[in-house]
Amino acid sequence: MNDRYDAEYGEDQYELVGYDEYGRPMYQQVRTQQAPRPPQQAYDPYTQQQGYGYDPYATGSQPPVSPYDPYDTGQQPQVPAYDDYAPGTHPGSGTHGTRSNGAAAAPYDPYGRAAGGGQQPRVAEQTAYIPQQAGPAPDPEPSEEEAPDASVRSQPDYSTGQFAFVEEPDGDSEDVIDWMAFTENRTERREEARRRARSRVVALVVVMALFAVGGVGYLWYAGKIPGLGKSAGKAGTTTAAGAQNRDVIVVHLHNTKKGGTSTALLVDNTTTKQGTTVLLPNSLAVTGDDGASTTLAKSVDDDGSSGTRDALDTVLGTDIEGTWRLDTPYLQNLVDLVGNIEVDTDTDVPDPEAEKKNAAPLVHKGKDQTLSGKMAVAYATYSASGEARNAQLERFGQVMQGVLRKVSSDAQGATVTVQTLAQILDPSLTDKDLGAFLAKLADLAKGGDYKTALLPVQDDGTLSAQTSSSVVKDVLGGTAKSPDQGSAVRVSVQNATGTKGNTEKARVALLNGGFTFLDGGIADGSEATSEVTYADAADKDNATEVAKTLGLPTSAVTKGKVSANAAVVVVLGQDYKPPAL
């Protein structure tokens, strides 16, 4: 093949200028007149001389050769042509091919390398690494005698410092990664903002729905929806009594010096936001523990707190939650603790401890009178001769409302006040419960939403639908149900002895004798002798039996006029000698 090449083109008419990307030699035509070319050795880029190091396969030293520059216009060393198909040049033949002119042919290079200028690309491994930098052309390949064995040359050992890996990241790759991370984070932030916005919208819708439902429920509960039949009492309309919620406790004032009790109900209507003190006369007929009819005063003394509370629930149709026993010394301490009270007094009240009868009154009649603890107790328990039998009960109601206006509206503060009294309360009513209850009533009293009402009771102590509906039904939300009197003779007693305690002693005696006692009150002045009167002849024997029960002579029994609700009327005179109780 080399002979054909020389014959066609002539020897040395072209010179090698490099290799293309496939490792094939590239030639250019040279001037016709050239000096004879010295024999050249085959090019080996790995023969490191003149800045390239050394060839590990070289068997001897090589003369220095200037780097080859294909564009240099001066004389350049000629490189023998390389023919892929020349005999003896194929890899593995074990011999090197020769040119037709007898010059030694370049040995086979498995990577397409040949003598000539420039560094050539590697075919098999160029994707793995590339030379770090271009350098001057290496020296020609050593002669055939000096060339190492081809089997050794097939696996060259290169220095790792001469190459740089293509996969090494550069600055641009990190910029791309940063940009991708920024884009991803921004997308996530937008999605999170959308999720939060949707959550807020859902929460707003739920709140508005609950608000709407609650508003409709309130309007229905307040009776402001037309056609539903409920209305608010404070708005000028009436509310069905049974639909209202009330908290009720009963308070008993015990006069520890003079005796006697006064009873009232404290009512907190949480529906209409109205507080009320309901005064209960002692003559109110209730059913005792033994099932017999008795009076409220007698029930407090005999049946105690629990029995009286149950009896009142039966008569009034209420649900009393607890009993507060308030003895007069505790009432005095309570008024002093809240800092005195203001009351519109209706009478002068003498000092019970004054030595002179004509001493200045302890409490003066007038508006907005400031009462201390001692003055409040004297006013709440005072009963003047000849006045209405419920006058003293109404004064007690005034004192209670004055106290509520001064009690703290804070539950904790009111509880501290109750605890400071150091009372022994009924087990059903604790200090904390009583304090919280009084705080609610105090708030209503300070705001003007509090009143005092007297329960109307007939002469025989019973309740009528007409007289009690305004209090029992409207205030208490109950139904009046007086105890069945049965066949017992109804006896009305009026005290004209000048001694207040004689009424209670007569009541006890009559109840023990099987009679029904009716409190006729205190007579104006005193009578010397007692009288027992009946109207119907059929009641003469009953009147005689009443006189014997009271320890009066039968001569005191006469026929006359009696009250409509009593079969026998008794007026106790100074000759009445009550039995010891």
Side-chain angles (χ1 to χ4, degrees):
M1 182 176 181
N2 288 339
D3 294 341
R4 187 177 66 251
Y5 177 89
D6 292 341
E8 182 177 357
Y9 296 99
E11 184 178 0
D12 298 330
Q13 291 181 355
Y14 294 86
E15 66 178 351
L16 181 66
V17 296
Y19 297 87
D20 60 12
E21 59 183 346
Y22 299 101
R24 293 176 297 188
M26 300 174 58
Y27 302 90
Q28 70 176 0
Q29 187 175 6
V30 297
R31 290 189 294 272
T32 57
Q33 297 297 327
Q34 292 181 357
R37 295 177 298 177
Q40 301 292 331
Q41 296 178 349
Y43 165 70
D44 186 355
Y46 299 96
T47 303
Q48 304 297 328
Q49 294 185 19
Q50 298 293 334
Y52 280 82
Y54 68 96
D55 183 0
Y57 304 101
T59 59
S61 62
Q62 303 294 332
V65 179
S66 299
Y68 166 66
D69 185 356
Y71 299 100
D72 193 358
T73 57
Q75 293 291 333
Q76 302 296 336
Q78 299 299 317
V79 180
Y82 169 68
D83 191 347
D84 290 338
Y85 303 97
T89 63
H90 191 274
S93 62
T95 61
H96 297 282
T98 59
R99 297 177 62 90
S100 61
N101 58 1
Y108 168 74
D109 188 349
Y111 300 102
R113 294 173 301 186
Q119 180 177 335
Q120 303 305 322
R122 296 180 60 187
V123 177
E125 301 181 12
Q126 64 180 351
T127 58
Y129 51 83
I130 59 176
Q132 287 185 330
Q133 61 183 357
D139 291 338
E141 187 173 309
S143 62
E144 183 175 357
E145 292 77 13
E146 298 174 348
D149 186 78
S151 62
V152 178
R153 294 285 301 275
S154 62
Q155 296 181 358
D157 184 11
Y158 303 119
S159 174
T160 57
Q162 298 176 354
F163 304 95
F165 288 92
V166 176
E167 289 81 6
E168 290 184 359
D170 54 12
D172 294 339
S173 63
E174 292 192 2
D175 292 341
V176 172
I177 294 174
D178 293 341
W179 170 254
M180 293 177 65
F182 169 77
T183 305
E184 183 179 0
N185 292 339
R186 184 172 60 179
T187 303
E188 291 180 354
R189 287 195 298 270
R190 289 178 178 174
E191 291 298 329
E192 183 64 23
R194 292 191 186 99
R195 285 193 294 269
R196 286 197 299 267
R198 286 194 295 268
S199 300
R200 293 191 186 101
V201 172
V202 173
L204 179 61
V205 171
V206 172
V207 170
M208 293 181 65
L210 293 176
F211 179 81
V213 173
V216 173
Y218 171 77
L219 292 177
W220 172 83
Y221 186 80
K224 296 182 180 181
I225 299 179
L228 295 185
K230 292 187 67 176
S231 58
K234 294 186 71 174
T237 58
T238 59
T239 302
Q244 301 177 19
N245 181 58
R246 300 171 179 84
D247 296 327
V248 183
I249 68 170
V250 58
V251 53
H252 299 295
L253 177 66
H254 288 254
N255 190 338
T256 57
K257 290 185 177 181
K258 295 181 179 181
T261 60
S262 301
T263 302
L265 298 178
L266 303 181
V267 183
D268 176 20
N269 191 322
T270 59
T271 302
T272 62
K273 306 298 181 183
Q274 177 68 47
T276 307
T277 297
V278 178
L279 304 175
L280 304 181
N282 282 334
S283 61
L284 175 65
V286 296
T287 302
D289 288 344
D290 57 358
S293 177
T294 186
T295 62
L296 174 61
K298 180 64 174 176
S299 177
V300 173
D301 291 339
D302 295 346
D303 300 334
S305 299
S306 178
T308 302
R309 182 169 64 245
D310 293 339
L312 290 175
D313 284 340
T314 301
V315 172
L316 304 176
T318 59
D319 184 13
I320 300 174
E321 301 172 9
T323 300
W324 181 18
R325 172 169 176 157
L326 185 62
D327 294 348
T328 49
Y330 290 114
L331 175 60
Q332 180 175 337
N333 294 338
L334 178 60
V335 174
D336 291 336
L337 283 173
V338 298
N340 299 335
I341 60 176
E342 285 73 35
V343 175
D344 294 338
T345 58
D346 59 0
T347 186
D348 291 338
V349 178
D351 186 353
E353 297 179 358
E355 296 180 358
K356 297 180 180 180
K357 294 183 178 181
N358 297 328
L362 179 63
V363 178
H364 294 276
K365 180 180 179 180
K367 294 180 67 65
D368 294 330
Q369 295 294 309
T370 301
L371 304 182
S372 64
K374 179 180 178 180
M375 297 168 66
V377 169
Y379 184 76
T381 58
Y382 179 69
S383 178
S385 177
E387 65 181 3
R389 56 184 175 180
N390 292 324
Q392 174 270 323
L393 185 61
E394 292 176 346
R395 296 188 185 104
F396 169 55
Q398 287 182 284
V399 171
M400 288 303 302
Q401 186 167 347
V403 169
L404 292 174
R405 283 196 295 261
K406 298 298 292 289
V407 172
S408 174
S409 299
D410 177 67
Q412 182 63 32
T415 301
V416 171
T417 300
V418 173
Q419 292 173 342
T420 306
L421 293 176
Q423 291 178 280
I424 300 177
L425 298 175
D426 185 82
S428 62
L429 189 65
T430 64
D431 292 341
K432 184 177 181 180
D433 293 339
L434 180 58
F437 181 78
L438 294 179
K440 294 179 181 179
L441 293 182
D443 187 58
L444 296 174
K446 293 172 185 177
D449 298 319
Y450 201 93
K451 63 182 180 181
T452 300
L454 175 66
L455 178 68
V457 177
Q458 299 182 99
D459 292 339
D460 60 354
T462 59
L463 303 172
S464 66
Q466 294 76 13
T467 59
S468 61
S469 62
S470 60
V471 176
V472 176
K473 182 179 180 181
D474 297 339
V475 177
L476 299 177
T479 302
K481 185 180 179 181
S482 295
D484 186 9
Q485 300 296 335
S487 59
V489 178
R490 301 164 66 85
V491 180
S492 175
V493 178
Q494 185 179 30
N495 186 359
T497 63
T499 304
K500 183 178 180 180
N502 287 339
T503 302
E504 181 62 20
K505 294 177 180 180
R507 183 187 70 82
V508 173
L510 291 173
L511 291 175
N512 292 336
F515 298 97
T516 299
F517 172 81
L518 301 177
D519 188 356
I522 304 298
D524 296 335
S526 60
E527 298 289 340
T529 60
S530 300
E531 297 179 357
V532 179
T533 306
Y534 64 93
D536 192 347
D539 292 326
K540 180 179 180 181
D541 293 340
N542 292 330
T544 302
E545 189 64 28
V546 167
K548 294 179 179 179
T549 301
L550 295 175
L552 299 176
T554 57
S555 60
V557 178
T558 60
K559 184 178 181 181
K561 186 178 180 181
V562 298
S563 59
N565 61 339
V568 178
V569 174
V570 177
V571 177
L572 298 178
Q574 295 179 355
D575 62 342
Y576 170 65
K577 304 298 179 181
L581 298 179

